[in-house]
Amino acid sequence: MSWLVSPRRLRELGVLGMNERNIHYIAGFNERRLFPLVDDKLKTKEIALASGLAVPTLIGVVRYQHQINEIAEVLHNQAAFCIKPAKGSGGKGILVIHDHDDELYYKPNDQGLTLGDVKRHLSNILAGLYSLGGQPDKAIIEQLIHFDDHFSGYSFEGVPDIRIIVFKGYPVMAMMRLSTAASDGKANLHQGAVGVGIDLRSGRASHAVQYDRVVHKHPDTGLPLSEVSIPEWDKLMVMAARCYEMSDLGYIGVDIVLDAHRGPMLLELNARPGLAIQIANGRGLAERLVQVKTFAERARMPDERVALVQQSFY
Amino acid sequence: MQQKVPFYILLLLLVGIGLGSAIHRHIDLEVPWTPGETREVWSVEARLEFTARDKPVIALLAIPETQPGFTLLEQGTASPGYGLSYLTEEDVPAVRWSTQKATGKQVLYYRAQFLLDTRTDKVWPGPPEIEPAPILPELENVAAGRLLDEVRADSANQITLVAQILNTIKANDQKVSLLKQGRDDVELAIMLTQLAGVAARPVTAVNLRHNRRNQDGIPYLMVYEEDQVAFFNLQTGKEGKPARLLLWEMNGQPLIDLEGGRNTRISFSMARVIVPVQQAIEEKYRDLSPIRISLHSLPQEEQQLFRGLLLIPVGVMVVMIVRVLVGLRTSGTFMPVLIALALMQTALGAGLAGFVVVIFAGLVVRSYLSRLNLLLVARISAVIIVVILLTATFSVIAYNLRLVEGLNIMFFPMIIIAWTIERLSLLWEEEGAKEVLQQGGGSLMVALLAYVVMSNIYVQHLTFNFPGLQLVLLAFVLMLGSYTGYRLIELVRFSPLADKENTDQLR
Ligand SMILES: Nc1ncnc2c1ncn2[C@@H]1O[C@H](COP(=O)(O)OP(=O)(O)O)[C@@H](O)[C@H]1O
Ligand SMILES: [Mg+2]
């Protein structure tokens, strides 16, 4: 096992690098003017609803400082919710409250926050602390996603989310991120979450890594990762494919969560999806991207594209 | 990808124009590629002394001009009570002093500054017309004829001929002793060259040596052979021209032409000044349009500003290399450049220490503020104010303790530092101190790297003296911006993918 690999070998393996992703795929297939649609989660929600995709229900939006004072009333009726910055990324500024008694608000790890803490968090979001370049922001409050029993034992304190890379409307690679004790309930791979590569045909785990190394069992529960299988997989794939028509962006990362009651829901779109998905799948993206370029564009409906992909990539 | 070709043409154009302008500045304006080069400037003074005779005085002094080896930078006179005109358009360039009436000892000064310059546009004046040979008494004529016959036999061309003539004059020979009667060596030499029909130009030269006074002009003879010019010192008979030999007069005329005075005497004194090459060039090309000169023509303060400004692209390029080729992340894209700039204003060690202290103090203050439930703007403003106060205090303390001389960490971009503190403190809360050290330390490393490059004297010299190179930097940055290869850290990051057992599928 060597810790260094030659550029030539990486190219042979079809690994997509950051510079190439930026120049060929993001700059090449994503029009700048469309970025605000996905960089603002509120707008994403709107266009998703307009095109009939399920999203977590919006409880409220905090736009101005004075609205924060009335926040207790808004939250009063909501047993569980999630507060996030509209222009945040990488999980920054996301506050998940799974229970509260109007005085203390409990995070998934049962740490209690006071109302003051919550208000300060909202005020930080508005001031742009979590947004790109520090620009002023909005805070979104939405209903909590209850995770599907299917994954109990596979995710520690967090909702597992599914990331699908969609290129020109064709889903090309997928992974699921399982939070672990090491990742502190966050689904960031570099913090120790488990990345599970998902087979595009079956929706079943094909490969899994933690800290970039292959794992076979969930590090906390010991459950075999090979048993991971996502229900309603084809529905997820079509949902991801439809995000192309919805956003007009050629190269996106679609984040989907499975809600126990409402099924797959679109969480967010990413115009600059990361490259760790390659490690989670144990294979490079480049080959599939090149192959998609040969598929005729737009001519097919989302479900046809999914079918084509499932024939071609395995 | 269809825009590739125009893009490469643009790059070539930028590099071409940039390098072209730099090469032009180097060749045509003599701006050196490396810093620290110096030039010699000689300040030469001619002192003309005579006794006036209560009558109107007109004094003409031949003056030197720009010539191969020397460029005239500046000239002037000191001659109270005299009217002055420069006769530089005459065949014999001269300065003319005149006055209605003068009595007693008079001293007039002419001063000139010459740049010792291997690159002047001037060439030596061509050979003069051959003057008709003087008519000599019979006896002398025969002696001279014989002598010239002997000498001719030993020589191949004009130059060797003159060399032989001068040799024989120095030798003890009957014919020479005969000819020397009533003539000194110099007169004899000139007469013999005339008799031999050689095209030669008698000139008067001054040998420049540092801090000499009371020097006399030295008679030289310029001898032509096709394209070649040879110099003969008529006093010693030696051939050759020392590099610091300034030809004062080149037309075989006396240095002085005086009416209304006697006891004329002329002497020279000189001194050498070593100046930075930039200053010398500045003076040499002063008359050219300012656009062709440089930022050196700006006032000192603006120059300083531009020095810093022109370095920023270099720092930016370092950051780009680190990000695009290496793949390191920095907190705040060009924050490291700003830190590097600030470090350049202070001493490095002191600057670094100051920076770390400021950030650390800021983090402490911020951690207290975070308990006050303030708005973000208020918090950042508070951090800025406290940070500025702290820097001022540290500066004063450090200065008074003589820890550093003139430490000035006020140069740090405070607003940006305040934001950095805010971000780092958040990082601390969310991801722990390790991440703070990693990101903060990483940014500092990049800043240091930028600092090392930006404070390099060669880099500073090139950016300041060849602004055209900025275009080359621009081209390089554009090229980096279109680099699609792997980053260095990706070779590590993706190494598991190259590993057989690591890519095995789950089933
Ligand atoms: N409504 C929600 N309920 C529960 N968890 C959520 C909710 N929204 C987001 N999360 C959690 O936060 C993570 C990141 O959310 P996401 O909307 O993708 O923001 P980011 O752009 O920061 O990645 C998700 O993977 C999920 O674990
Ligand atoms: Mg996300």
Side-chain angles (χ1 to χ4, degrees), chain A residues 41 89-91 94 161 163 177 255 267-268 270:
Chain A
K41 292 193 172 67
S89 64
I94 293 192
D161 69 358
R163 155 69 57 91
R177 284 177 294 201
D255 284 2
L267 198 54
E268 66 157 345
N270 240 298

Side-chain angles (χ1 to χ4, degrees), chain A residues 41 45 56-57 81-96 142-146 158-163 177 179 185-188 255 257 265 267-270:
Chain A
K41 292 193 172 67
K45 227 185 236 307
T57 310
F81 55 88
C82 170
I83 299 179
K84 53 170 111 172
K87 295 176 187 162
S89 64
K92 272 182 280 176
I94 293 192
L95 180 63
V96 175
E142 63 185 22
Q143 278 181 1
L144 188 77
I145 294 156
H146 301 276
V159 187
D161 69 358
I162 296 146
R163 155 69 57 91
R177 284 177 294 201
S179 46
K186 296 195 172 100
N188 285 334
D255 284 2
V257 282
M265 289 197 290
L267 198 54
E268 66 157 345
L269 297 184
N270 240 298

Side-chain angles (χ1 to χ4, degrees), chain A residues 1 3 5 10 15 18-19 23 65 120 123-124 127 129 191 204-207 212-214 226 276 282, chain B residues 324 370 373 375-376 379 426 431 481 483 485-487 490-491 493 495-497 499 502-507:
Chain A
M1 163 82 230
W3 56 273
V5 55
L10 276 190
V15 175
M18 197 62 101
N19 290 330
I23 291 173
Q65 196 65 34
R120 191 178 55 197
S123 151
N124 280 346
L129 192 51
Q191 287 170 326
R204 296 166 68 148
S206 61
H207 192 259
D212 295 347
R213 295 288 171 266
V214 165
S226 56
Chain B
V324 174
S370 82
N373 276 350
L375 290 182
L376 179 66
R379 215 159 52 211
L426 246 131
E431 323 251 336
Y483 167 77
Y486 296 109
R487 298 175 177 180
E490 285 176 341
L491 303 185
R493 179 184 179 197
S495 63
L497 288 175
D499 200 14
N502 230 348
T503 47
D504 275 350
Q505 303 297 297
L506 281 176
R507 72 192 105 195

Side-chain angles (χ1 to χ4, degrees), chain A residues 18-29:
Chain A
M18 197 62 101
N19 290 330
E20 191 176 2
R21 180 205 72 167
N22 288 347
I23 291 173
H24 284 160
Y25 294 98
I26 295 182
F29 293 92

